[in-house]
């Protein structure tokens, strides 16, 4: 079955440390890939997206993500986490024939320790 | 610079009551979506619309109805509220091209008691 998996439900990281959030998908062809962030009580904000080309994409707030076709993965990274990065992060995919419809992973909640 | 506006932000309903969740966007987007977010489950698509007068079911449409009489508005209706519909509801909109991201409202937190 087609799915999006974020294996880590919670991650706790110290301020200033690096962060990596995992995302794996199972679709036949390479879908369009997105990372969204949700702060408490807010809607989702787009961090970055991948459609084609360079497999390392840069986003807002210092985030980047790397698409690895061989691993069906699209992991999100940030070299140095700030306290304001505490939020929930969602990976989403738009399959080729889905017509702009997104399928979301279950989300990863990030806690930042001082 | 409003984007996607959802009302109300919070609501408590009794079982069997009905209500309409409002969603409006000012970006002239043809595509609009309704999602529900349950803890640990990510977002699930309820209904979507590709333009005024056109709607279609998503992954979890049972118990809901939508209409799209204008480009700007996409209300979601619950006819007979059930406890299973306790959730946070998000409306989103996007331009037509596949490479255009969805823009989300701040959500409506709905409790059915």
């Amino acid at each position: 079955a087609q799915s999006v998996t974020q294996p880590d439900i919670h991650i706790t990281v110290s301020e200033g440390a690096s962060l990596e959030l995992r995302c794996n998908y199972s679709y036949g062809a390479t879908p369009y890939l997105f990372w969204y962030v949700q702060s408490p009580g807010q809607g989702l904000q787009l961090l970055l997206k991948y459609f084609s080309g360079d497999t390392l994409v840069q986003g807002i707030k210092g985030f980047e993500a790397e698409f690895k076709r061989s691993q069906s993965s699209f992991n999100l990274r940030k070299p140095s986490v700030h306290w304001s990065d505490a939020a929930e992060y969602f990976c989403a995919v738009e399959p080729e024939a889905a017509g702009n419809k997104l399928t979301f992973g279950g989300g990863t909640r990030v806690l930042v320790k001082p | 610079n409003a984007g996607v506006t959802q009302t109300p932000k919070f609501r408590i309903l009794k079982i069997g009551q009905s209500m309409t969740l409002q969603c409006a966007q000012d970006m002239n987007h043809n595509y609009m979506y309704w999602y529900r977010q349950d803890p640990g489950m990510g977002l699930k698509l309820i209904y979507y619309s590709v333009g005024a007068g056109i709607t279609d079911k998503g992954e979890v449409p049972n118990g809901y109805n939508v209409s799209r009489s204008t480009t700007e508005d996409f209300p979601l209706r619950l006819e007979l509220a059930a406890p299973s519909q306790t959730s946070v509801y998000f409306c989103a909109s996007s331009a037509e091209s596949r490479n255009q991201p969805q823009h989300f409202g701040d959500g409506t937190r709905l409790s059915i008691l």
Side-chain angles (χ1 to χ4, degrees):
Chain A
Q2 298 176 335
S3 65
V4 182
T5 303
Q6 294 180 244
D8 304 303
I9 297 175
H10 295 100
I11 285 181
T12 299
V13 60
S14 297
E15 193 168 13
S18 63
L19 174 68
E20 182 168 11
L21 304 182
R22 296 181 290 165
C23 174
N24 293 95
Y25 64 91
S26 61
Y27 289 90
T30 299
Y32 288 178
L33 300 160
F34 304 83
W35 274 100
Y36 284 86
V37 60
Q38 184 183 30
S39 298
Q42 302 292 315
L44 278 69
Q45 180 184 21
L46 180 70
L47 283 175
L48 46 78
K49 58 188 179 184
Y50 173 79
F51 299 132
S52 64
D54 192 345
T55 57
L56 185 63
V57 294
Q58 303 297 320
I60 63 172
K61 305 185 180 188
F63 284 91
E64 65 179 24
E66 185 173 14
F67 167 62
K68 292 186 176 180
R69 184 187 305 273
S70 61
Q71 298 176 20
S72 296
S73 69
F74 188 55
N75 293 349
L76 181 72
R77 298 193 294 254
K78 186 169 183 177
S80 178
V81 169
H82 187 262
W83 64 266
S84 60
D85 294 323
E88 189 153 20
Y89 293 80
F90 292 94
C91 179
V93 304
E94 182 186 325
E96 190 170 3
N100 290 47
K101 297 193 294 291
L102 296 177
T103 298
F104 286 85
T108 298
R109 184 170 297 278
V110 173
L111 302 175
V112 180
K113 295 190 301 184
Chain B
N1 196 17
V4 178
T5 302
Q6 291 184 239
T7 56
K9 292 189 182 302
F10 305 95
R11 185 73 184 269
I12 297 175
L13 284 182
K14 294 182 179 179
I15 295 171
Q17 286 185 320
S18 62
M19 78 162 293
T20 300
L21 281 64
Q22 301 291 344
C23 175
Q25 53 92 8
D26 62 359
M27 296 172 282
N28 201 32
H29 286 163
N30 279 329
Y31 285 36
M32 295 188 74
Y33 315 82
W34 273 106
Y35 294 92
R36 59 177 289 171
Q37 182 182 28
D38 300 313
M41 300 296 290
L43 279 72
K44 301 290 187 183
L45 183 65
I46 304 171
Y47 270 96
Y48 67 100
S49 169
V50 300
I54 306 170
T55 63
D56 207 347
K57 296 177 180 179
E59 187 180 358
V60 290
N62 292 343
Y64 307 94
N65 280 299
V66 294
S67 59
R68 185 93 182 271
S69 57
T70 67
T71 299
E72 294 78 19
D73 300 299
F74 190 40
L76 177 73
R77 183 153 181 89
L78 285 70
E79 291 291 351
L80 290 171
S84 61
Q85 294 178 303
T86 294
S87 189
V88 182
Y89 291 84
F90 287 98
C91 179
S93 71
S94 72
E96 290 182 35
S97 299
R98 269 202 74 202
N99 63 0
Q100 297 302 309
Q102 294 184 16
H103 299 260
F104 286 80
D106 286 342
T108 295
R109 185 174 296 275
L110 181 64
S111 295
I112 315 295
L113 303 177

